């Protein structure tokens, strides 16, 4: 009983902290935090959770993801009750510059990832669990605090399937079923059986409890840690606002802090609180990860006269580079024979994870994996990366290190038609803070930039092409991030043609044709779209009278707009060839012509400008 | 028995058409089409499906959505067997200019929507069912052909929850469980019980059958049409490639047509086919929709001295305009008290649908609703629109008419922090072909542009602000799509400041301050970002020496890049103030200053340029 009593006192302290910090901030989500307080206090202070509080990065720490990110006051209050956050610091919550933001970000050292866009925590936790079980082979567990309202998100059900499929018995979800969403009751209210039925049908072990009964909660964690072969979901009936009678289970209190009057009243109700109380957290087993020594890699080898698709070179690169980057993990969404991630799967099956047709979960899992110091390479069609834009967006706030590869870029995929064509992916990835966006034109440069991507710290997007394309580069050339290649130049170039990927080949063909007519063009391979090589472009602007950008991508947010932004302070007109007409099925060559981004389109444009 | 025999003969004809058309095209997905052939032949020609083939738009037609869009050869073959597509036309499949594209698009008159990005069909079907049951109140049913592999997509499970919640007994899904995905077996293979268990737990009626037993299939449709209160899922065990022995149930045949030799062999196996055979489709009941007369609307009324948030004006506008646009349907994703869609919900509850925290399904449903000639207004936080980018992307290929409203734009939402901030939504919606992107700065202009959006045919995105902002405009001003407002001008303007939304107010404050210093600026409210008013900008370029764009949005793909693209052929430097630094919690004013997009940031920039 002593343990329960201690936890009751700690939970009271946590509630105290939640209330004073949100009232001080004048905003925040106290009621959403209060409903999960007993669940989380039991987890951290009841012995189940094992964490070295001095070393949040300890490889064998259990992980705790707040999928219901708006319960951040609870996250901060828990760690304050563990003695790792002072009351003074708590009172800076939501203030400019405080690491205690409105929703958790890694600025707070105990936040596993930035959350707050709902439905993303279970995939992140799944990634960490996959890593623990199959990559690190360490016994740590991943706990995910879930809201009931966010269980509507499809991404959670993707994680549900994948977790059962991968037998992740080291993944424990806890649903805080407090009945009330933001604007009213959830679909199932307090019908715990509704969650139990659905989640168990997906192959999870389920434990249904009263989320405010300390003994039941502790027993649930005890049971959960004995799981074998299946992930575990604790489904807890709770009361929103629990602990403050006048806000308990009441609609209209979502995201509302108590005012000073109400706070006084609530604290009186709470009763005496001992701010010197400190919750103890069990330490993890001090297991170490074996150090993995990078090994030398094979040389890049492509025959000069044999075209190879850049999507194939991507697959080759993953295989070739793995010895040098033993932290690589490769994920794909049911298209690995198209993206060529399957080459890696065949060679290193223990480091490849099939994520099935569930891109949101794949990206969330990649985030979790990257937060565990691995380098995830994630692939699908460029078009389907848009399925995970919210997850990609959130990763930028999580100090992530994910390498995305989108294949089948552009209209040049041909007959499959627009549903399969990536035409907005450059725009999407450009919006990600600090992202790197690379679009190689041949197999050699693809292999080089995959290595640059692996070395780089931060999110990288690599765009690959479906069709086979000729080899342009020699294997001793380098392709630094932020660089560009000038393939053709003279000091009498009339126009600079700036291309990437498939259009580099079109541009080279156009060059030859124009040269016959006495028109010299500078051909630039802008393989690094972000960051881009302003210096090379400036030099071209000094010589030429105009730029023509040409891309197999929509106009908005693509290479044309990139170059215009770069050239904002330089006086050179930038004309943009891109996909402007409704795309459709057809042969690749036909479609490139139709969209005027083929050699013919380039020639026409250059002639027009001269 | 006669009916079964007829269907067997028709199914053979359908298989014949699938094989010859894909071999002719040299690409396509015959095996994925063959597995569903018996299921679909029974549906169309067995009496369940009611459709006026002369009038695909008949309001009481049953609807058929091919969620597994790659089975397009089956879709075309079915309609050919119904006599609506000639064999000659079938042989144009996948060729440039043919309405028979690689994946269905509305270019083919019997395609309900463009599909091909998996997991999107059930949400689209759900929208049509919602419309049938609650808006049109017509007895038509919506059938959705689903692949088993795509059931991994979370979006399907969002639809699964919402369909049960809304008791859509007029929605019938058919899963073609052929065991094989693109690169191998699905998670559950031929374990029909796995689907049955999961889907029934979500509240659907399930019917498990042999997907090649004509009698079982017909009985299943019969049973499905008697559903009461619950949606129905027919779970059919099938064989990929059924009908061609050497490709049946074999991995490695996804997306592969037969070559000429193999086709010969397959046709020999198929046996004699009667190409003059025509399948009969039952006609629908000729019910008409009552004509809805637009009614006059109230006038816009805002007190000049009382600030109102544009997000609130959005809600007001929905209520005010509904009588004039009786085809409006409003959807929101659990944030209607934030987006103010709840004002409409309160006033016209029968036309409002709570879609819960499931944005992908919400957008898919909106597409289905728009295809049934309604005007869906869809709202959530701007940031969470990214959750549905793939659905938004696909809607551009579906001749859609969806009005999106993203609230809580920018860093100016304040303390909630970056997870809730829309900073890439302008970029995202700009990439949509033919989209309109509007960003009103005050309540009056918001109301005006909501009406413009309702009148416009095509996708529209409206970006709204969290905080209250002053009234700028008079109610007799017009805000046409493609227009801009010049709020301050003189013939000695040094710099033009181009803003939208929240930054218009910052720009107006900056104007006053700069004027005191003797610096005149032209202040332009670019409320229509796409299309944008080039003429107004050109006039400003004639007078001023530089442009400063200022937006509460990332730099990539936003207003700055929009203006630079517009001004590509005009010699005026465009400087861009936007969100460049990692956003964080803080007061709105602090954050605007921090990102240098506040009045102070604008003043500093203009001074720098002078």
């Amino acid at each position: 009983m002593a343990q329960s009593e201690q936890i009751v006192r700690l939970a009271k302290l946590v509630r105290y902290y939640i209330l004073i910090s949100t009232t001080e901030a004048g905003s925040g989500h106290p009621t959403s935090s209060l409903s999960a307080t007993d669940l989380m206090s039991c987890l951290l202070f009841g012995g189940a959770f094992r964490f070295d509080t001095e070393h949040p990065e300890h490889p064998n720490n259990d992980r705790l993801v707040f999928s219901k990110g708006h319960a951040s006051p609870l996250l901060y209050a828990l760690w304050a009750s563990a003695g790792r956050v002072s009351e003074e610091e708590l009172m800076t919550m939501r203030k400019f510059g405080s690491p205690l933001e409105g929703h958790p970000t890694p600025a707070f050292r105990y936040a596993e990832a930035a959350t707050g866009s709902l439905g993303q925590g279970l995939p992140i936790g799944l990634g960490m669990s996959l890593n623990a079980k199959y990559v690190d082979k360490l016994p740590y567990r991943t706990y995910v605090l879930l809201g009931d309202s966010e269980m509507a998100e499809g991404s959670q059900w993707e994680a549900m399937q994948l977790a059962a499929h991968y037998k992740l018995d080291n993944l424990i979800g806890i649903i805080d079923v407090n009945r009330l969403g933001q604007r009213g009751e959830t679909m199932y209210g307090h019908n715990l059986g509704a969650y139990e039925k659905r989640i168990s049908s997906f192959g999870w072990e389920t434990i249904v409890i009263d989320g405010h009964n300390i003994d039941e909660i502790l027993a649930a964690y005890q049971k959960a840690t004995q799981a074998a072969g299946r992930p575990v979901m604790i489904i807890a009936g709770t009361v929103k606002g629990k602990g403050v009678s006048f806000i308990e289970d009441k609609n209209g209190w979502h995201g509302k802090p108590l005012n000073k009057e109400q706070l006084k009243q609530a604290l009186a109700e709470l009763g005496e609180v001992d701010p010197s109380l400190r919750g103890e957290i069990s330490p993890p087993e001090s297991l170490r990860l074996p150090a993995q020594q990078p090994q030398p890699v094979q040389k890049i080898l492509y025959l000069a006269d044999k075209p190879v698709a850049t999507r194939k070179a991507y697959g080759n690169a993953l295989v070739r580079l793995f010895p040098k980057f033993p932290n690589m993990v490769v994920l794909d969404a049911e298209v690995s024979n198209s993206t060529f991630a399957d080459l890696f799967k065949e060679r290193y099956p223990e480091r490849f994870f099939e994520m099935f047709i569930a891109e949101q979960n794949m990206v969330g899992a990649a985030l979790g994996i990257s937060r565990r110091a691995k380098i995830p390479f994630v692939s699908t069609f460029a078009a389907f990366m848009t399925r995970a834009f919210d997850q990609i967006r959130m990763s930028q706030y999580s100090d992530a290190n994910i390498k995305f590869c989108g294949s089948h870029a552009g209209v040049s995929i041909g007959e499959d038609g627009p549903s399969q064509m990536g035409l907005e992916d450059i725009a999407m990835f450009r919006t990600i803070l600090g992202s790197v966006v690379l679009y190689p034109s041949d197999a050699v440069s693809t292999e080089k930039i995959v290595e640059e991507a692996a070395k780089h710290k931060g999110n990288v997007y690599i765009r690959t092409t479906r069709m086979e394309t000729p080899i342009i580069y020699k294997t001793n050339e380098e392709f630094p991030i932020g660089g560009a290649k000038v393939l053709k130049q003279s000091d009498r170039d009339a126009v600079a043609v700036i291309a990437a990927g498939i259009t580099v080949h079109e541009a080279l063909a156009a060059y030859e044709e124009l040269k016959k007519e006495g028109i010299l063009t500078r051909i630039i391979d802008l393989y690094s779209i972000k960051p881009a090589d302003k210096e090379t472009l400036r030099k071209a602007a000094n010589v030429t009278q105009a730029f023509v950008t040409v891309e197999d991508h929509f106009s908005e947010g693509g290479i044309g707009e990139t170059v215009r932004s770069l050239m904002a302070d330089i006086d050179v007109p930038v004309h943009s060839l891109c996909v402007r007409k409704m795309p459709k099925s057809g042969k690749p060559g036909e479609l490139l012509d139709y969209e005027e981004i083929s050699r013919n389109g380039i020639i026409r444009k250059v002639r027009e400008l001269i």
Side-chain angles (χ1 to χ4, degrees), chain A:
Chain A
M1 283 304 130
Q3 187 192 41
S4 301
E5 270 176 40
Q6 176 73 344
I7 289 172
V8 168
R9 290 165 67 213
L10 282 162
K12 192 186 285 197
L13 181 60
V14 171
R15 288 191 156 89
Y16 167 74
Y17 282 144
I18 288 168
L19 292 166
I20 64 169
S21 63
T22 50
T23 294
E24 171 66 18
S27 65
H29 302 74
T31 55
S32 309
S33 303
L34 292 168
S35 58
T37 293
D38 300 311
L39 292 165
M40 290 294 102
S41 301
C42 286
L43 176 62
L44 256 63
F45 309 127
F49 196 68
R50 305 154 304 171
F51 196 95
D52 179 346
T53 60
E54 296 277 332
H55 303 103
E57 278 313 303
H58 190 294
N60 201 30
N61 277 345
D62 283 343
R63 321 309 314 185
L64 173 54
V65 179
F66 262 52
S67 188
K68 58 177 288 184
H70 52 291
S72 51
L74 169 60
L75 180 67
Y76 307 142
L78 282 167
W79 286 103
S81 303
R84 307 301 303 187
V85 180
S86 68
E87 186 170 317
E88 192 185 358
E89 198 174 8
L90 265 187
M91 299 302 253
T92 70
M93 192 180 80
R94 291 177 156 248
K95 289 182 166 51
F96 183 75
S98 168
L100 277 52
E101 299 203 48
H103 293 74
T105 67
F108 181 65
R109 65 196 296 237
Y110 300 103
E112 295 291 345
T115 50
S117 178
L118 296 170
Q120 299 204 19
L122 201 57
I124 294 170
L126 179 144
M128 295 177 164
S129 300
L130 270 181
N131 176 65
K133 196 174 179 74
Y134 296 110
V135 183
D136 285 350
K137 299 188 172 67
L138 285 176
Y140 72 83
R141 293 189 186 90
T142 301
Y143 295 85
V144 183
L145 176 63
L146 300 153
D148 50 355
S149 214
E150 64 166 331
M151 294 315 292
E153 282 288 13
S155 47
Q156 308 280 49
W157 297 95
E158 292 179 12
M160 216 75 80
Q161 292 170 76
L162 270 293
H165 179 76
Y166 280 109
K167 303 184 177 4
L168 295 175
D169 46 22
N170 57 348
L171 177 62
I172 297 163
I174 306 106
I175 311 183
D176 172 13
V177 184
N178 65 23
R179 185 179 79 82
L180 295 169
Q182 169 171 321
R183 46 85 244 155
E185 200 177 60
T186 63
M187 273 186 272
Y188 312 118
H190 263 145
N191 179 359
L192 303 184
Y195 294 97
E196 204 271 324
K197 188 165 73 158
R198 286 156 177 74
I199 293 166
S200 64
S201 84
F202 272 62
W204 285 52
E205 184 178 334
T206 53
I207 307 171
V208 180
I209 58 168
D210 171 351
H212 299 299
N213 181 313
I214 303 298
D215 293 333
E216 269 187 56
I217 301 169
L218 290 172
Y221 288 129
Q222 171 83 337
K223 187 156 186 248
T225 57
Q226 287 156 9
R230 294 193 295 167
V232 182
M233 189 67 78
I234 297 170
I235 300 164
T238 60
V239 173
K240 199 157 179 171
K242 178 72 172 177
V244 181
S245 65
F246 54 93
I247 61 176
E248 281 183 2
D249 201 36
K250 285 197 168 56
N251 202 13
W253 267 98
H254 180 90
K256 283 201 174 67
L258 302 188
N259 63 31
K260 288 189 158 60
E261 276 310 306
Q262 294 161 333
L263 175 65
K264 234 181 186 169
Q265 210 180 327
L267 295 182
E269 231 181 77
L270 206 57
E272 207 180 306
V273 161
D274 179 4
S276 69
L277 201 54
R278 288 287 169 268
E280 296 295 321
I281 299 178
S282 306
E285 290 177 71
S286 60
L287 297 171
R288 292 281 148 212
L289 280 173
Q292 285 177 301
Q293 292 306 333
Q295 303 299 324
V297 295
Q298 310 254 16
K299 289 196 188 313
I300 297 169
L301 180 61
Y302 289 102
L303 299 173
D305 59 350
K306 192 176 177 309
V308 174
T310 57
R311 59 175 171 133
K312 182 120 191 254
Y314 169 77
N316 290 337
L318 293 178
V319 174
R320 189 178 61 82
L321 291 166
F322 180 64
K324 187 171 178 181
F325 298 93
N327 275 350
M328 271 170 65
V329 178
V330 177
L331 311 180
D332 190 274
E334 213 347 61
V335 285
S336 59
N337 57 335
S338 293
T339 59
F340 285 98
D342 66 350
L343 299 180
F344 184 92
K345 177 182 72 173
E346 277 148 37
R347 185 73 182 75
Y348 300 108
E350 72 284 3
R351 278 303 181 93
F352 176 85
F353 295 96
E354 178 55 63
M355 301 307 277
F356 299 94
I357 307 182
E359 297 80 10
Q360 294 187 90
N361 179 69
M362 178 171 73
V363 174
L367 175 58
I369 288 167
S370 100
R371 297 290 294 161
R372 302 320 312 130
K374 305 301 179 295
I375 310 174
F377 276 81
V378 173
S379 51
T380 183
F381 282 30
F384 308 143
M385 283 293 179
T386 60
R387 197 60 157 262
F389 190 13
D390 199 16
Q391 286 75 7
I392 296 165
R393 179 183 78 88
M394 285 302 291
S395 81
Q396 77 191 313
Y397 302 126
S398 289
D399 200 21
N401 188 33
I402 307 169
K403 320 304 173 181
F404 301 87
C405 182
S407 69
H408 292 68
V411 298
S412 52
I413 70 164
E415 288 86 345
D416 264 0
S419 66
Q420 318 290 300
M421 295 171 173
L423 294 165
E424 53 285 291
D425 50 310
I426 294 176
M428 179 174 77
F429 278 101
R430 281 183 68 230
T431 68
I432 303 301
L433 274 169
S435 65
V436 168
V437 179
L438 306 170
Y439 186 11
S441 58
D442 85 335
V444 171
S445 52
T446 300
E447 295 243 14
K448 294 278 179 170
I449 66 150
V450 170
E451 180 160 6
E452 293 293 335
K455 289 188 320 203
H456 178 77
K457 290 280 169 276
N459 287 337
V460 179
Y461 176 58
I462 299 167
R463 190 181 212 234
T464 64
T465 300
R466 175 180 179 244
M467 66 195 340
E468 291 174 351
T469 45
I471 306 301
I472 296 177
Y473 297 105
K474 293 188 155 37
T475 57
N476 62 354
E477 300 206 48
E478 293 310 317
F479 291 81
I481 289 169
K485 290 289 188 188
V486 184
L487 289 167
K488 301 285 183 194
Q489 67 179 323
S490 80
D491 45 25
R492 291 181 300 119
D493 295 328
V495 168
V497 178
I498 301 155
I502 187 87
T503 55
V504 168
H505 302 274
E506 297 300 311
L508 288 171
Y511 172 88
E512 298 299 339
E513 201 51 46
L514 289 163
K515 193 172 177 190
K516 290 182 199 159
E517 299 172 31
I519 301 170
L520 290 175
T521 49
R522 182 163 301 196
I523 307 298
I524 298 172
D525 178 356
L526 200 74
Y527 68 86
S528 183
I529 296 172
K530 179 187 180 193
D533 186 350
K534 185 168 180 174
E535 203 36 47
T536 295
L537 295 181
R538 185 201 300 278
K539 284 184 186 150
N542 287 341
V543 175
T544 61
Q545 67 190 55
F547 283 4
V548 174
T549 63
V550 51
E551 60 193 299
D552 199 351
H553 185 275
F554 284 139
S555 76
E556 297 86 357
I559 295 174
E561 295 202 337
T562 298
V563 170
R564 272 195 209 94
S565 288
L566 267 180
M567 300 285 101
D569 56 344
I570 294 171
D571 195 12
V572 62
V574 178
H575 303 267
S576 175
L577 300 174
C578 53
V579 175
R580 296 186 189 272
K581 295 181 248 189
M582 175 64 72
K584 47 178 78 170
S585 287
K587 295 198 190 58
E590 279 178 320
L591 295 171
L592 289 171
D593 269 331
Y594 173 63
E595 296 292 351
E596 301 180 71
I597 56 175
S598 63
R599 55 202 67 189
N600 298 322
I602 296 169
I603 290 167
R604 248 197 320 276
K605 187 56 149 182
V606 171
R607 280 195 199 127
E608 187 190 300
L609 293 175
I610 300 296

